[in-house]
Every structure is written in structure tokens, then in C-alpha cells.
Amino acid sequence: MGRGRTMEWAARANHVGGIPRKAIIFAAGAFARAVANLLNSTTVHNPETLIRLVRSRPPGVPLLTVSNHMSTSVIITSDRLDDPVMWGFKAFPTMDANLARWVLAAEDICFKNRVLSYCFRLGKCIPITRGGGIYQEHMNEALERLSDGAWLHTFPEGKVSQENEPIRRLKWGTASLIARAPITPIVLPIVHHGFQEVMPEKYLFGRRPPFPLFNKKITITVGDPIEFDLPKMSEMAVSMSKDCSSSSSGWPSATRFGLNEAAQKCLYSSISKQIWVVMENLRNLGKTFLKQDD
């Protein structure tokens, strides 16, 4: 928790006049467009909701999108395909650096060296140390972006899952950001299918391909914003936590709602469960769309 922030200066909008960021976002956007629309076919259900919230939500209100995680990394870039290719569909402002999302990215994958760290920082990526806890320093940075009213994307499962199985149990990091943000973000669920075929974990001799595969079908299902009654959920968390023991793990003793550690855990669990239910329903809806498309 005492670690400094990795190359935070490169993530600032005014770094070298914003030119490097625009160049990286443009290049990533062009790559995403090519993979999503030229090399493969992408169908998006309910794209209007996502586009509207990215372009014109109420001033100062942050947007938090959450999705499943199905793609392995591309060897030549060390990045995973879910992001940025899921934003590469037609009509989306893919190459606009001002509208581009911030995203939580695994430190051990995307920030292996100074060159990668610099490039991913320019691409509005926030490094997260897996296993570092929900109160690690870079989670505070993500919270600051939400406080600024920005758009943040997370993969709450915390790891890649390419099996056609229910959404994995969600980690508490995303829930903690929702509860801690001074203005509750608009939480928009997205579930996709097909990235596991574009970048499979085991393709040739048990290894992933060095480049994205082509002629695959990608389906993206955008849900509706999830409503959270945080004051009520906090009251319930306090009541539920009375029967729970609280360990001394260094969590702050007070949050936006003045909850102790045990109550925080109950609240984060409840928020995560609510998101999981919505995402699982979206996954089943996406399976229906896949059958219709076939």
C-alpha cells in the first residue's frame, strides 16, 4: 500500500501537450477497428446505451463499465484483446482520446518494463497488482478518475475465463470503487463472446497464436445501467456484519458510509452479487442472440 504510482506523469492529459496519448489511442483504435470489423464480424446489441453514456452523461457523473474477460494476450503487444477491440465496433468513438476509457490493467502483463509501462500509461491504463488488495495505491488512482467524472472499465472476474460457463465469482475491487466514489457512478454491464476464438489460450502446440485469428464471430451485449441503493445496502451491511468477525488487515476504519471492515466486506459482497446476477443474465441473453445470428 505504500508503493508509489507507476509513471503517473505519463498518464496525465497534458503530458507533452497530449500528443503521445492521442497517437497511442488512435493507433489502438485503428487496430481495434481492423480486428473487429475487417478481420472478424462483430455484432453489438444495445450499442446506443453505451454510446450515449460515453458521449453525453450528466456533468461530473462517472461511468463504470464492467465486462467478462475472455481473451488471452497478444504476444507482440502483451495486451489482451477484450480491451481495446470491444470498443472497435462501428459508430463508437474508438479513436477519440478525450472520450476513451480508463481501464484497470494487470501490472505483471502490461507493465513488464519501462517501454510497455509508458505506452500503456499513454493508453489510459492503470496498473493493478493482482493480490495487492482493494486498497492498493493504484486503486486510489482509479477512484480519483471516478471522482473526476471519467469513464473507467474493469474486469471484475479478475482473470481470463474462456470456458462457456457461468461468470466467475467477482472480486471486490470494482464493488469497493462503487461504494467509495463520492458520486455513485453509472454502472453499465457488458458481456461478450467470441474473443476466446480470436485469441485462444491453446491454439498451436498448446500455445496461444502470436496474432489475432480471423473470420470469427464476436458478439457484444450491452445491458442497462445497474441501480444501487447504497444507503440502504450500507444499513443492511452493518446489520449483517454484527455476526461477522473482523480481522486486522489494515483496511481503513471509515469509508463514505462510515463502515468498519466487517461491514465493508458485507457491502462489497452484496454489490458484487448484484453485478454478478446482471452479468450472468446478460450472458444467457447473449447465448440466445448467438443462436439467432447462426
Side-chain angles (χ1 to χ4, degrees):
M1 293 175 63
R3 294 180 55 185
R5 297 180 181 179
T6 303
M7 286 194 184
E8 185 179 13
W9 49 270
R12 295 169 184 161
N14 61 357
H15 171 60
V16 196
I19 296 175
R21 172 186 284 185
K22 291 179 181 178
I24 285 289
I25 296 295
F26 184 88
F31 170 78
R33 283 284 175 88
V35 174
N37 304 299
L38 296 180
L39 298 179
N40 301 281
S41 61
T42 299
T43 303
V44 185
H45 300 276
N46 191 31
E48 301 83 5
T49 297
L50 174 62
I51 295 173
R52 173 177 56 83
L53 290 174
V54 168
R55 286 190 176 277
S56 58
R57 59 187 178 277
V61 177
L63 171 64
L64 178 61
T65 51
V66 296
S67 75
N68 57 325
H69 206 358
M70 299 195 79
S71 172
T72 60
S73 58
V74 182
I75 293 176
I76 57 174
T77 65
S78 296
D79 193 14
R80 300 188 187 280
L81 279 188
D82 314 62
D83 179 289
V85 176
M86 63 188 298
W87 320 120
F89 62 89
K90 298 175 183 178
F92 192 82
T94 309
M95 292 172 277
D96 190 325
N98 293 324
L99 295 179
R101 86 292 168 264
W102 290 87
V103 62
L104 302 186
E107 186 177 45
D108 60 324
I109 295 174
C110 300
F111 294 82
K112 293 180 179 179
N113 54 54
R114 292 186 62 81
V115 173
L116 284 176
S117 296
Y118 181 66
C119 290
F120 280 106
R121 272 308 208 168
L122 291 177
K124 301 174 77 169
C125 296
I126 300 174
I128 292 297
T129 303
R130 288 187 283 195
I134 62 177
Y135 287 108
Q136 60 181 280
E137 182 56 34
H138 284 112
M139 286 293 284
N140 292 331
E141 181 182 349
L143 185 61
E144 289 172 10
R145 299 291 75 78
L146 292 177
S147 301
D148 295 337
W151 169 25
L152 175 71
H153 182 73
T154 71
F155 298 97
E157 290 176 289
K159 63 186 299 183
V160 172
S161 176
Q162 296 201 328
E163 294 77 22
N164 185 21
E165 296 179 352
I167 300 292
R168 292 176 181 266
R169 184 185 72 83
L170 306 186
K171 305 292 185 180
W172 287 351
T174 297
S176 74
L177 292 174
I178 295 170
R180 296 165 64 198
I183 297 178
T184 302
I186 298 171
V187 180
L188 187 69
I190 303 171
V191 173
H192 51 72
H193 185 274
F195 287 112
Q196 78 282 4
E197 296 181 3
V198 179
M199 280 301 297
E201 287 184 306
K202 297 180 180 180
Y203 175 65
L204 189 62
F205 303 113
R207 296 179 179 274
R208 64 182 184 272
F211 302 98
L213 303 182
F214 58 92
N215 200 29
K216 306 297 182 182
K217 291 184 178 181
I218 300 171
T219 301
I220 301 172
T221 307
V222 180
D224 295 317
I226 305 174
E227 299 290 337
F228 296 97
D229 188 344
L230 291 181
K232 182 177 180 179
M233 294 177 75
S234 297
E235 291 180 4
M236 294 180 62
V238 170
S239 178
M240 293 169 59
S241 66
K242 293 178 181 179
D243 298 326
C244 301
S245 59
S246 178
S247 62
S248 177
S249 58
W251 283 28
S253 58
T255 63
R256 173 182 170 189
F257 296 98
L259 307 181
N260 61 22
E261 180 179 336
Q264 288 177 58
K265 289 180 177 180
C266 289
L267 176 60
Y268 299 162
S269 178
S270 297
I271 293 174
S272 297
K273 179 64 175 179
Q274 186 173 341
I275 296 174
W276 182 90
V277 169
V278 174
M279 290 183 67
E280 181 61 16
N281 289 337
L282 270 186
R283 189 184 74 88
N284 291 324
L285 181 61
K287 290 167 62 178
T288 301
F289 288 144
L290 278 173
K291 292 179 181 179
Q292 293 174 351
D293 292 340
D294 290 339

